[in-house]
Amino acid sequence: MTKPIFVLNGPNLNRLGLREPDLYGATTLAQVEALCHASAGGRTIEFRQTNSEERLIDWVHEAIDAAAGIIINPAAFTFTSLALFDALKMFPGPIFEFHITNVHRREAVYHHSYVSKVATAVMAGMGADGYGIAVQAMCARKDLLD
């Protein structure tokens, strides 16, 4: 049985399409989820969003046992959560850190990512459409945990 790819989303991403559309665009999280499924070439996608750090960490723990790879947009937890960093360090497969905006062109508070230190790849600045590219790239990897 082929393991799924977990696409995990952190705080405030449930407000996509409404929150700062000049920065994040008009695409909703439901549209992002549909794009991820459409881009997976038949592979199962576990698509989730939470505003809770605890729940996000629990999902990473679940992924350790059940996922082929993780695509994570940790949002604000990128820059604040050592606990998420520690959880991701335990995942033995590929991890893509994903951001809708180019965090390096934004305020300095967005320039230090704990997640980048454990990520296989970092993708930023491609807008919501970048999720589809991330899923396709993850599916193409030879080191997925199947």
Side-chain angles (χ1 to χ4, degrees):
M1 183 170 145
T2 303
K3 292 181 178 181
I5 293 170
F6 277 41
V7 180
L8 304 178
N9 295 280
N12 299 313
L13 290 166
N14 57 308
R15 302 293 296 167
L16 281 180
L18 301 171
R19 176 186 176 210
E20 300 179 84
D22 54 318
L23 190 59
Y24 296 104
T27 304
T28 67
L29 192 64
Q31 291 169 318
V32 168
E33 181 175 7
L35 174 62
C36 287
H37 288 289
S39 300
R43 183 180 280 271
T44 301
I45 298 290
E46 285 290 330
F47 188 93
R48 302 175 183 178
Q49 187 279 326
T50 184
N51 293 319
S52 165
E53 182 178 25
E54 177 183 3
R55 182 169 291 154
L56 190 59
I57 291 166
D58 285 343
W59 290 341
V60 171
H61 291 172
E62 182 182 340
I64 291 166
D65 299 322
I70 296 173
I71 299 167
I72 186 166
N73 182 344
F77 296 142
T78 304
F79 318 104
T80 63
S81 182
L82 287 171
L84 180 60
F85 165 76
D86 284 342
L88 288 166
K89 284 195 310 188
M90 291 185 269
F91 185 72
I95 300 168
F96 289 4
E97 177 184 354
F98 182 85
H99 298 283
I100 293 169
T101 65
N102 180 350
V103 293
H104 304 288
R105 291 187 66 190
R106 297 182 61 193
E107 299 86 353
V109 70
Y110 298 112
H111 295 177
H112 177 77
S113 168
Y114 289 106
V115 176
S116 292
K117 295 178 183 355
V118 294
T120 308
V122 178
M123 303 174 76
M126 294 183 287
D129 289 341
Y131 275 94
I133 297 166
V135 168
Q136 290 171 353
M138 181 66 77
C139 288
R141 290 192 65 89
K142 304 294 186 222
D143 59 345
L144 287 179
L145 301 175
D146 284 329

